Amino acid sequence: MVAEADKAITKEQRLQPLKDTAVALLCLIFFFSGASSLLYQVAWQRLLTINYGVGPVSVTLIVSMYMLGLGLGALAGGALAQRYSNSAVRIYCLCEIILGLFGLASIPILHWLGNATSSASFAVYCLCICAFLCLPTILMGMTLPLLTESLTRLNNSFTSTVSTLYAVNTYGAALGAIIGAYVLISFLGLDFAVYVAVTINFLLAASVYFALPKIKSGIHSHQANSQPREIINETNIKLGTKMYIWVFATGFVAIGLEIVWFRTIELIVKSSPYAFATVLGIYLTGIGIGSSLVNKFLSAKPKINRSQLYFTFQCAISAYVVLSYTLLTTYPAKN
């Protein structure tokens, strides 16, 4: 019995470097995936404003369509990951390739769209933006569940997997927004920023297609005689109706506050072209830090009441918003 236990430990020790490599690769992929997505968002927002102008409605529509597309894509990607779990990597690569091709075509499409509808009504303008952003945002949303499926199979921890990937993806998105606006667009132009995002899409597809299957095959070959991993399904995680309502409300408030803060900062900085990217960068950085910290906190205190913790955070956010806007509206009046 002791010899078998020592053999199992030795096998796990040989397997751990492969797992660490796979997790590191997936985190790197998600970091640059987030960066490319926000590069597109910042560049497309600037390109759209060339023909349609800058305004709160324009920014709100772009952010709303991004969130809607990401949500629909996540639903579609989750369904595909469950149904075609063995092909999740290939589907992810296909999404990245299509995204890259769309990115290449996006510049002439936007120029043509602007020229064709520059004098059209506001309703037509809204429909054009929605139609343009629909495909790429859905593809972006599909990438998270597809790669989460791969990492969960290696890591066996659903909560840790989602939190890690979400945080890393958000950090990449924040960097993409800041670098895109302050460096790529400012010094090299809008077209160059889009081409950088396209290059990232193609490199991600190639990296996942050629590297990840080899690592996974090595892990699976070592795990052939080991116990099967824990299956995560409705018997392991049960989300009630209240949980979905809470999550929906959280997203509603979060994006609503983002738009409000953007409008406030835009007034302070006199409609600077960097305002949108700056708000996005700071907002996403905070979300990434919060995701990382709460993951560590829950790991250290697994028995804590998570519902109470959730509502505590919501109360803290409410108090901060009230205090910050009270100071913001009263302090300038006294000076």
Side-chain angles (χ1 to χ4, degrees):
M1 295 293 292
V2 175
E4 291 180 0
D6 292 340
K7 185 177 180 181
I9 294 174
T10 304
K11 187 176 182 179
E12 184 63 28
Q13 289 175 344
R14 291 198 307 267
L15 187 60
Q16 193 59 44
L18 285 173
K19 286 187 175 182
D20 293 341
T21 301
V23 172
L25 175 62
L26 285 169
C27 288
L28 193 65
I29 288 167
F30 253 78
F31 180 86
F32 283 102
S33 178
S36 67
S37 297
L38 265 292
L39 270 177
Y40 280 131
Q41 184 173 4
V42 172
W44 287 341
Q45 186 263 340
R46 295 276 193 95
L47 286 169
L48 285 167
T49 57
I50 292 175
N51 294 290
Y52 299 118
V54 182
V57 177
S58 172
V59 171
T60 301
L61 189 60
I62 292 171
V63 172
S64 300
M65 274 306 302
Y66 242 79
M67 293 300 102
L68 177 62
L70 292 175
L72 292 175
L75 287 174
L80 289 173
Q82 290 183 354
R83 186 170 183 179
Y84 305 104
S85 58
N86 294 329
S87 302
V89 170
R90 295 178 183 176
I91 299 173
Y92 171 86
C93 293
L94 182 62
C95 289
E96 290 291 351
I97 291 172
I98 297 174
L99 261 176
L101 294 175
F102 184 90
L104 285 175
S106 66
I107 297 174
I109 288 175
L110 284 175
H111 287 313
W112 172 82
L113 199 60
N115 293 330
T117 61
S118 57
S119 59
S121 65
F122 179 75
V124 172
Y125 151 65
C126 292
L127 288 174
C128 288
I129 292 181
C130 293
F132 173 79
L133 293 175
C134 183
L135 175 63
T137 54
I138 289 176
L139 291 173
M140 292 172 190
M142 290 174 63
T143 57
L144 176 61
L146 289 170
L147 281 191
T148 298
E149 167 66 21
S150 298
L151 186 53
T152 300
R153 285 172 172 269
L154 305 179
N155 204 30
N156 292 345
S157 175
F158 180 80
T159 303
S160 177
T161 295
V162 173
S163 181
T164 299
L165 289 184
Y166 184 74
V168 170
N169 185 253
T170 306
Y171 289 138
L175 184 65
I178 298 298
I179 296 296
Y182 284 90
V183 179
L184 297 179
I185 295 175
S186 296
F187 294 101
L188 300 170
L190 286 166
D191 291 3
F192 187 85
V194 173
Y195 294 145
V196 170
V198 169
T199 302
I200 292 174
N201 289 141
F202 290 144
L203 289 177
L204 288 176
S207 299
V208 171
Y209 185 80
F210 291 107
L212 190 58
K214 293 181 180 179
I215 297 174
K216 291 178 68 176
S217 64
I219 293 174
H220 292 158
S221 64
H222 282 79
Q223 291 179 332
N225 298 321
S226 62
Q227 293 181 352
R229 70 182 182 96
E230 178 187 3
I231 299 175
I232 299 175
N233 52 31
E234 63 275 6
T235 61
N236 302 112
I237 296 179
K238 295 182 179 180
L239 297 177
T241 304
K242 291 183 179 180
M243 181 63 71
Y244 289 110
I245 295 174
W246 294 345
V247 172
F248 180 87
T250 301
F252 179 86
V253 173
I255 299 304
L257 286 174
E258 179 185 350
I259 298 299
V260 171
W261 278 327
F262 167 72
R263 289 291 295 130
T264 304
I265 293 173
E266 186 184 33
L267 293 173
I268 295 173
V269 300
K270 309 302 181 184
S271 298
S272 168
Y274 299 102
F276 180 63
T278 303
V279 171
L280 278 178
I282 296 173
Y283 209 80
L284 292 168
T285 300
I287 291 174
I289 293 173
S291 180
S292 299
L293 291 178
V294 79
N295 184 38
K296 293 180 180 179
F297 180 79
L298 293 176
S299 298
K301 297 185 177 182
K303 295 183 180 180
I304 193 171
N305 189 315
R306 302 191 179 194
S307 297
Q308 291 182 359
L309 182 64
Y310 169 84
F311 285 109
T312 300
F313 285 149
Q314 296 305 313
C315 291
I317 293 170
S318 300
Y320 173 81
V321 170
V322 172
L323 178 61
S324 62
Y325 270 91
T326 300
L327 294 174
L328 190 65
T329 54
T330 59
Y331 179 75
K334 296 180 181 179
N335 294 276

